[in-house]
Amino acid sequence: MQTSQEFSKAEKFWMNFKLYQFWRFIVLNLKILAAVYQSKRS
Amino acid sequence: MAKVVVIGAGFAGHTAALYLGSRIGRKHEVTVISNRDVFGYVPSWVWVGVGHMKPEKTIFKLKPVYDKMNVKFIHAAAKEIHPDAGNQYVLGDEVGTGKEVRLDYDYLVIAPGPLLNFAGMPGLGPENGFTHSICSLPHAIKTRDAYLALCERMKKGEKVKIVIGTGHPAATCQGAAFEYIVNVHKDLVKKGLRDKADILWLSNEPAVGDFGVNGVQIKRNGHLMRSEEFLTSVFNDHGIRYQVKTGVTKVEEGKSHWQNYEGEEGVTEFDFSMLIPQFKGQPFKYIGKDGEDISSKMVNPAGFVLVDGKYGLPYPELAQTPDAWPARYQNPAYKNVFAAGIAFAPPGPISKPFTNKNNLAIAPAPPRTGMVSGMIGRVVALNIADLIEKGEMTHSEPMTEMVAACIASMGDSLWDGNAVTIVMRPVVPDRKTYQNEFGRDLFTSHLEMGVSGAWMKFMLHHTFIWKFKARPGWTIIPE
Ligand SMILES: Cc1cc2nc3c(=O)[nH]c(=O)nc-3n(C[C@H](O)[C@H](O)[C@H](O)COP(=O)(O)OP(=O)(O)OC[C@H]3O[C@@H](n4cnc5c(N)ncnc54)[C@H](O)[C@@H]3O)c2cc1C
């Protein structure tokens, strides 16, 4: 069942690169808010 | 003056109570009956379970919040519901005195969360068994103590086996177990003990990353990405072994017995194990006007409250019938009774169920996460307010239309912690609206991992506690 799939070095770098992650933090917040307000929230 | 009673003050019941209090609390009587006098912010119990958060940081007293929201609070455990017209009431036992309390209602919201069915699996659970749980605060504290004791053994050089996942073939809430396994890994790395532990993910999911919702699929730069590949990479990266398609069948001291999809039987040994139990509905008595048992009108065999869903469809048909999912969470027999959160009966599973050759059904039950529970609590509250004020309901939100965001913590450190941020639209696939094999909006749905997720998780803890305390602006914070 086990496979050898792993994250690449580049992916791991971006996951921990704080400046990029700060940008992602803003994007993720906006993305979640947009998705929630797009949904019915009737 | 109308009387509204809410049973339970968790994500669903407390949210419903806040909206009811703010909409109709001044003119009508809104009462919450809860067996605990505190609100528990359940997601952070993952961190309690590894000793990274003090238990008292995850709770706050309910009464002061209800006082300001015009909601009455009764600290009692509900036990009986009498829903027949003319004489509708809830009976409970007051916590501390054991005195019987009676609450008459015009509208009832049933939101007591799950009964943790440890009794359904021999040897499971922290009270009468050999495994741990993070599904209640006392359990999470006990788990933390056992985990820290295990760390002491490892510090002395002992090698240990840790097994985390689901403890029943029909368990749900895999997301919480996933967060716990990765937080344990991270904590052991920090303590310099990771090489002393063999960590195994043991789960009833059909695939890694299924989470009981048929996985999450997204399109990024034109490529399809699935949670299965993503989470497999997480496990491989962290050196966590995994075994899915497996239903635990019995637990003994240090041993989990299981069967898999192929019908093979096996035993996995452990020194420490946290396995999520099956969830059932709370075992209330439902009693008619002549004292007869009317449970069959109110709940399914597992004790979950029947609402406006289409029940009994076989999985292939259910998967193609988004309308089968309830939208108003209203009991069909008693129209003034609503259920919210884990308490409502879903029409069936979201993930594909499987029965092996020994007739063992290995099928994750559908999760009703905190966000989903909160959204249902809000819809139910607004509809009850509508019924009282206008005579008709104007709100609906089936899980086939809900967007849910979930941040799966993978270490709480704001410097080198991590989390997977998942956005799913909709929670339950709607193959009519989204005409791809997954029935999801692959553009809005999202899957991402990074330290920003750890910041989000930290922020959510504080934002939600702010919201649940009904502090200024609470209504603009989404559920
Ligand atoms: C460890 C863990 C981590 C999680 N993490 C996340 C996450 O990150 N994001 C997310 O969206 N979801 C998460 N979840 C799921 C989420 O916590 C649940 O979906 C949510 O708590 C369900 O809300 P509820 O109101 O239905 O039930 P609960 O929150 O369980 O609330 C039920 C309430 O009813 C009360 N009650 C019970 N019996 C009675 C009775 N007889 N009389 C009166 N009151 C009663 C209980 O004391 C409780 O206060 C997590 C779950 C766990 C276990």
Side-chain angles (χ1 to χ4, degrees), chain B residues 6-14 33-36 38-46 62 74 76-79 111-114 116 134-136 173 175-177 179-180 276 279 282-284 340-343 367-374 405-409 457 460 479:
Chain B
V6 180
I7 303 178
F11 274 70
H14 185 61
I33 167 170
S34 174
N35 60 355
R36 300 179 67 223
V38 290
F39 177 85
Y41 186 68
V42 183
S44 296
W45 295 346
V46 170
L62 287 164
I74 306 288
K79 59 178 182 182
L116 305 173
I134 49 169
C135 296
S136 76
C173 215
E179 288 189 82
Y180 190 62
I276 304 275
F279 288 178
Q282 294 289 353
F284 297 140
I342 292 177
R368 279 82 92 203
T369 61
M371 187 166 180
V372 168
S373 300
C406 185
I407 321 285
S409 161
K457 192 84 184 171
L460 287 187
E479 283 66 43

Side-chain angles (χ1 to χ4, degrees), chain B residues 158-218:
Chain B
E158 194 179 334
K159 293 218 168 187
V160 300
K161 290 185 179 136
I162 297 177
V163 176
I164 293 169
T166 52
H168 190 282
T172 179
C173 215
Q174 291 81 4
F178 169 76
E179 288 189 82
Y180 190 62
I181 199 169
V182 190
N183 273 274
V184 164
H185 159 86
K186 285 264 162 147
D187 184 62
L188 291 177
V189 171
K190 283 233 153 120
K191 291 188 163 108
L193 297 170
R194 183 61 183 87
D195 59 324
K196 300 279 182 301
D198 171 39
I199 308 183
L200 175 74
W201 173 250
L202 187 69
S203 160
N204 61 346
E205 297 159 289
V208 168
D210 178 273
F211 290 141
V213 291
N214 221 12
V216 181
Q217 308 79 21
I218 66 164

